[in-house]
Amino acid sequence: MLSEQTGRIFLFNDAHTQTNALQPVAGPGAQTANHIHQRRFRSQAGAEVEDYQRTVEANGLLLFPLLLEVRRQPELSETISTSLDIINSLGKLLARYQSDGDLVQEHPLHAVAALLGPLMIINLMQNASPDLPLPAVDLPGHVRQFLDGRRPSS
C-alpha cells in the first residue's frame, strides 16, 4: 500500500492479523513488498471464496432456503453457522483491507454481497436447470476482478 502522505510503501508484518501493525518498507524492494502484499490479499480473499463455494456445493444449496426460514425458526441457526462464519470472516477481511486503503470504503456486507452475489446466482441457476450449459466459474479470476474493481482510484 502506498501512503500518499509519506510516499512510503507498507507491508503487513506477520503480527498484522493480531495487532493491525504496519511495517514500513523502503528501498529497492518496496515494489516487491507491495506485490507480495497484493498477492497475500488475493490469496486470503480467494481462500474465503473457495470455502464458501465448497460449503454451498457440499450442502446442495441448503443455505438459501435456510436463510429465509431462520428468522421464523431460530433453531435452524446452528445449521447455517458454517456458512455465516465464512461470510463473517470474509466481511472482516474486506473491512481490514478497506481500513488499510486497499479497497474503497463501503459497508463490508455490501462488499461481501457484491463478491458472493454472482456465485449465488450461478449456483441457483445450476440447481434450477442442471441441463443449462453454464461455464464453470473461474474463482481466482472472479476474486481478482472484484478486488481490481474495488481498488481506490489514485
Side-chain angles (χ1 to χ4, degrees), residues 17-78:
T17 54
Q18 290 89 28
T19 66
N20 288 334
L22 290 176
Q23 176 181 1
V25 176
Q31 290 297 338
T32 301
N34 189 41
H35 180 71
I36 291 169
H37 170 72
Q38 290 298 322
R39 281 195 355 219
R40 183 178 300 156
F41 179 25
R42 287 178 197 262
S43 176
Q44 290 171 328
E48 295 284 345
V49 169
E50 287 174 8
D51 284 350
Y52 167 81
Q53 187 67 12
R54 273 194 303 272
T55 301
V56 168
E57 289 172 359
N59 292 304
L61 300 178
L62 188 58
L63 170 66
F64 303 120
L66 289 176
L67 284 173
L68 298 172
E69 292 295 321
V70 74
R71 189 166 186 172
R72 288 187 287 200
Q73 299 177 33
E75 66 274 9
L76 293 174
S77 62
E78 285 186 38

Side-chain angles (χ1 to χ4, degrees), residues 10 23 29 41-43 94 121 150 154:
F10 293 91
Q23 176 181 1
F41 179 25
R42 287 178 197 262
S43 176
L94 295 176
I121 294 298
R150 283 189 156 56
S154 305

Side-chain angles (χ1 to χ4, degrees), residues 2-151:
L2 179 62
S3 168
E4 291 181 23
Q5 294 173 342
T6 65
R8 294 189 299 178
I9 296 176
F10 293 91
L11 172 70
F12 289 133
N13 63 19
D14 291 337
H16 177 72
T17 54
Q18 290 89 28
T19 66
N20 288 334
L22 290 176
Q23 176 181 1
V25 176
Q31 290 297 338
T32 301
N34 189 41
H35 180 71
I36 291 169
H37 170 72
Q38 290 298 322
R39 281 195 355 219
R40 183 178 300 156
F41 179 25
R42 287 178 197 262
S43 176
Q44 290 171 328
E48 295 284 345
V49 169
E50 287 174 8
D51 284 350
Y52 167 81
Q53 187 67 12
R54 273 194 303 272
T55 301
V56 168
E57 289 172 359
N59 292 304
L61 300 178
L62 188 58
L63 170 66
F64 303 120
L66 289 176
L67 284 173
L68 298 172
E69 292 295 321
V70 74
R71 189 166 186 172
R72 288 187 287 200
Q73 299 177 33
E75 66 274 9
L76 293 174
S77 62
E78 285 186 38
T79 307
I80 61 170
S81 66
T82 300
S83 296
L84 293 180
D85 288 347
I86 292 169
I87 291 169
N88 187 45
S89 177
L90 185 56
K92 287 179 181 179
L93 177 69
L94 295 176
R96 186 176 84 205
Y97 282 99
Q98 287 174 353
S99 70
D100 291 340
D102 293 319
L103 292 175
V104 295
Q105 291 293 317
E106 64 182 319
H107 192 286
L109 184 56
H110 295 170
V112 170
L115 178 57
L116 297 182
L119 300 177
M120 290 179 175
I121 294 298
I122 290 170
N123 289 330
L124 287 170
M125 289 175 64
Q126 286 176 333
N127 189 60
S129 302
D131 297 333
L132 191 63
L134 294 171
V137 177
D138 172 17
L139 290 179
H142 173 68
V143 170
R144 183 179 55 253
Q145 289 175 352
F146 170 84
L147 297 175
D148 289 348
R150 283 189 156 56
R151 187 177 299 138

